[in-house]
């Protein structure tokens, strides 16, 4: 069975027993407190989000969740995506790891069955060992958590990596459903008071990928890897788990970021080639030994000691580097049970890098945008007006909205990730890569037709929603959906007829 099935961690303190089955998209009232809610939330039946109380379990779709951190350790997500998209679990007679992870996250322990063709977005295609309504404090302890904010908005406080992996996985989307445990209801607060409370209670991580302070206005507004920045120290900490530290009982949110902040002063990740397993493993070894060598009462970050952050008593569990978790981590991709590091790097190698920006547009912009040379990047922009990319120029659009058509002819490259286009998209005769979704690139929504013709640098078109026709022809070497089908409202023709 998957390694995740060995549950050595103790349940988080305060985990509460679910009382009854969950109504989809609603709150199970009193699951945490056992007390009747006050008006207007009294009574049976579905209740609005603002009625949720600490301990309640709520059913959500991934697209409605608001992050409370701006960065991820991408390599942790890449490991999960590599595992989710592979078949080694099935080849070993087990179910794919994503079903185990989903069941655990949903408070149902692990996967019991997942037949051929099973999908996370089809709950009838797989089952978990613990049925809904039979959860225990122990199974609920592994659920991810959220805070109810002003207007009933849900703010994710634990699980950014896991839920991003679900969303970007083989059967993921913003519509995928999961349950969360509510820790707090701050819906009665104003927005400024809400963020003050979140900051005071350390339920938000306001540092960027370089550990510099940032404001709440720079937090992503939704999940998806495109909407986050990559913090290599956060990935490094993930790989040191159970080698240099263990997740303690009662672990607080953002524990791994605290370790990452400390490691910045101890190890320079830029001195290592993090695309190669050997140097990366050397870095993990050095970092984890530094962590394990700390005295228990040494303050690591933000007043937390090494003991509070789970510093391990003996490096690698007291085993030599040829054994224990360190040896497992370093197993190559050719091994029947490759290590997390090898799978992460294998997936990372599939991610097309975007060209470096020579011009950057953020925030609102009105009027036509013509890209005549260089690389124009729209990052969290709201472009109102048509966008035209001239021959030899490149366009990179991430986490943005475009109100108007997008047209590119003989461009150097076009990347469209985690964005929404209100209007037709036409990309023709591009000499470099055309990426519309795909590995490391969150899917898009296009309200209109998409036409891709004569592009010669390869075309990735994966997991997008297109409300109009999809026309693809004469693209070399073809059009690749990486196994993640696009949802298309109109006819599909040419090379996209079978996608």
């Amino acid at each position: 069975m998957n390694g995740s099935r060995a549950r050595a961690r103790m349940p988080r303190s305060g985990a509460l027993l679910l009382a009854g089955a969950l109504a989809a998209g609603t709150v199970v009232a009193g699951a945490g407190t056992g007390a009747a809610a006050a008006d207007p939330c009294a009574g049976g039946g579905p209740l609005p989000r603002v009625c949720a109380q600490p301990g309640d379990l709520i059913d959500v779709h991934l697209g409605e969740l608001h992050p409370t951190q701006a960065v991820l350790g991408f390599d942790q997500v890449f490991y999960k995506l590599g595992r989710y998209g592979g078949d080694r679990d099935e080849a070993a007679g087990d179910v794919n790891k994503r079903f185990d992870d989903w069941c655990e996250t949903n408070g149902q322990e692990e996967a019991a069955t997942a037949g051929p063709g099973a999908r996370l977005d089809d709950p009838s295609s797989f089952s978990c060992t613990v049925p809904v309504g039979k959860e225990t404090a122990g199974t609920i302890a592994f659920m991810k958590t959220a805070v109810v904010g002003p207007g009933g908005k849900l703010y994710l406080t634990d699980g950014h990596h896991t839920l991003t992996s679900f969303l970007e996985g083989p059967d993921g989307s913003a519509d995928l459903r999961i349950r969360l445990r509510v820790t707090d209801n701050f819906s009665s607060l104003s927005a400024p008071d809400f963020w003050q409370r979140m900051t005071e209670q350390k339920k938000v991580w306001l540092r960027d990928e370089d550990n510099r302070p940032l404001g709440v206005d720079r937090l992503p507004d939704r999940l998806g890897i495109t909407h986050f920045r990559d913090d290599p120290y956060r990935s490094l900490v993930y790989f040191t788990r159970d080698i240099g530290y263990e997740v303690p009982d009662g672990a607080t949110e953002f524990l791994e970021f605290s370790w990452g902040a400390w490691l910045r002063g101890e190890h320079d990740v830029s001195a290592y080639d993090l695309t190669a397993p050997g140097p990366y493993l050397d870095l993990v070894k050095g970092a984890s030994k530094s962590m394990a060598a700390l005295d228990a009462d040494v303050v690591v970050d933000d007043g937390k000691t090494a003991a509070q952050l789970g510093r391990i008593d003996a490096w690698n569990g007291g085993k030599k580097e040829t054994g224990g978790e360190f040896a497992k981590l370093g197993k190559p991709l050719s091994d029947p049970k490759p290590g997390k590091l090898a799978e992460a790097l294998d997936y990372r190698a599939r991610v097309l890098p975007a060209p470096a920006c020579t011009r950057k547009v953020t925030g609102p912009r009105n009027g036509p945008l013509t890209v005549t040379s260089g690389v124009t990047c729209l990052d969290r922009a709201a472009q109102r007006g048509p966008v035209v990319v001239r021959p030899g120029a490149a366009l990179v659009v991430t986490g943005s909205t475009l109100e108007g058509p997008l047209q590119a002819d003989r461009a150097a490259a076009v990347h469209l990730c985690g964005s929404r286009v209100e209007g037709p998209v036409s990309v023709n005769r591009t000499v470099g890569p055309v990426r519309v979704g795909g590995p490391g690139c969150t899917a898009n929504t296009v309200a209109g037709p998409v036409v891709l013709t004569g592009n010669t640098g390869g075309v990735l078109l994966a997991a997008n929603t297109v409300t109009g026709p999809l026309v693809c022809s004469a693209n070399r070497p073809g059009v690749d959906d990486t196994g993640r089908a696009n949802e298309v409202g109109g006819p599909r023709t040419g090379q996209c007829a079978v996608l």
Side-chain angles (χ1 to χ4, degrees):
M1 304 301 262
N2 290 333
S4 65
R5 296 178 184 240
R7 305 182 185 280
R9 289 177 288 169
M10 293 293 292
R12 290 194 179 105
S13 60
L16 300 166
L17 182 64
L18 175 68
L22 183 71
T26 62
V27 175
V28 177
T33 64
D39 288 335
C41 300
L47 300 176
R49 299 285 194 225
V50 294
C51 299
Q53 298 300 310
D56 285 347
L57 309 186
I58 55 176
D59 184 83
V60 305
H61 58 82
L62 299 184
E64 68 179 297
L65 301 177
H66 297 267
T68 54
Q69 61 191 56
V71 296
L72 295 175
F74 280 12
D75 286 340
Q76 177 176 342
V77 177
F78 290 159
Y79 155 66
K80 288 179 177 290
L81 291 176
R83 187 79 175 270
Y84 292 175
D87 60 2
R88 74 173 177 92
D89 295 323
E90 293 89 337
D94 201 357
V95 300
N96 188 276
K97 178 177 170 57
R98 70 185 189 276
F99 297 103
D100 271 340
D101 287 356
W102 189 95
C103 289
E104 178 183 84
T105 303
N106 210 51
Q108 298 180 260
E109 195 174 49
E110 62 189 18
T113 62
R119 297 176 55 90
L120 290 183
D121 55 5
D122 179 8
S124 67
S125 66
F126 66 97
S127 65
C128 305
T129 54
V130 176
V132 169
K134 300 295 185 181
E135 296 86 348
T136 68
T139 64
I140 290 174
F142 291 99
M143 296 181 71
K144 307 308 180 184
T145 55
V147 171
V148 183
K153 289 184 178 179
L154 294 175
Y155 290 86
L156 187 67
T157 54
D158 179 39
H160 293 78
H161 290 79
T162 296
L163 300 192
T164 295
S165 301
F166 290 161
L167 187 147
E168 302 285 358
D171 35 25
S173 74
D175 295 325
L176 186 66
R177 305 200 75 88
I178 194 70
R179 296 188 302 174
L180 302 177
R181 179 170 57 86
V182 175
T183 61
D184 302 273
N185 187 331
F186 300 149
S187 60
S188 63
L189 300 178
S190 66
D193 288 344
F194 169 75
W195 286 114
Q196 181 177 349
R197 182 77 62 84
M198 292 285 283
T199 303
E200 290 173 349
Q201 297 193 10
K202 304 185 187 304
K203 293 182 179 296
V204 59
W205 184 260
L206 294 177
R207 302 187 204 175
D208 68 9
E209 66 273 26
D210 296 314
N211 205 39
R212 298 172 301 197
L214 53 76
V216 296
D217 59 316
R218 291 179 58 193
L219 292 173
D221 62 355
R222 57 194 183 276
L223 293 177
I225 198 164
T226 292
H227 307 301
F228 293 89
R229 299 291 188 259
D230 183 21
D231 180 355
Y233 283 94
R234 177 59 180 78
S235 294
L236 173 60
V237 174
Y238 174 68
F239 292 128
T240 66
R241 186 178 295 179
D242 297 324
I243 302 171
Y245 85 105
E246 298 173 312
V247 178
D249 182 25
T252 58
E253 290 88 352
F254 313 115
L255 175 150
E256 290 85 358
F257 282 114
S258 289
W259 275 119
W262 180 80
L263 283 171
R264 289 174 189 276
E266 304 293 323
H267 299 269
D268 181 6
V269 298
S270 67
Y272 296 81
D273 179 3
L274 299 186
T275 66
Y280 208 144
L281 196 62
D282 288 341
L283 175 61
V284 172
K285 179 181 176 181
S288 59
K289 286 196 170 185
S290 296
M291 296 161 76
L294 283 173
D295 290 335
D297 58 355
V298 169
V299 174
V300 173
D301 180 64
D302 198 26
K304 301 183 183 72
T305 67
Q308 290 172 320
L309 293 177
R311 182 221 62 178
I312 203 165
D313 290 334
W315 181 80
N316 196 32
K319 298 179 175 63
K320 297 180 179 179
E321 62 183 74
T322 53
E325 293 299 318
F326 185 77
K328 292 179 183 178
L329 178 69
K331 288 185 177 180
L333 202 63
S334 57
D335 194 273
K337 293 184 177 180
K340 292 179 179 179
L341 191 56
E343 296 211 68
L345 295 183
D346 179 64
Y347 190 89
R348 178 179 278 276
R350 305 175 211 170
V351 178
L352 288 178
C357 307
T358 59
R359 177 190 181 191
K360 195 169 185 178
V361 177
T362 60
R365 184 188 184 280
N366 298 321
L369 175 62
T370 301
V371 184
T372 58
S373 63
V375 181
T376 293
C377 297
L378 277 69
D379 183 26
R380 298 192 193 183
Q383 165 64 25
R384 301 180 181 93
V387 178
V388 176
V389 187
R390 298 298 189 196
L395 178 70
V396 179
V397 183
T398 53
S400 298
T401 57
L402 278 60
E403 297 181 15
L406 167 59
Q407 181 179 1
D409 185 49
R410 289 178 289 172
V414 175
H415 295 252
L416 185 63
C417 302
S419 298
R420 180 178 179 86
V421 182
E422 298 282 350
V425 172
S426 177
V427 181
N428 308 304
R429 298 187 290 180
T430 307
V431 297
V434 175
R435 180 170 66 151
V436 186
C441 176
T442 302
N444 307 275
T445 298
V446 179
V450 173
V451 178
L452 305 170
T453 61
N455 300 291
T456 57
V459 176
L460 284 176
L461 183 71
N464 304 286
T465 299
V466 179
T467 64
L470 178 58
V471 180
C472 308
S473 65
N475 298 289
R476 300 197 304 270
V479 181
D480 185 6
D481 68 359
T482 68
R484 300 186 67 201
N486 299 276
E487 182 179 336
V488 181
R492 312 175 192 220
T493 61
Q495 292 170 307
C496 290
V498 296
L499 291 184

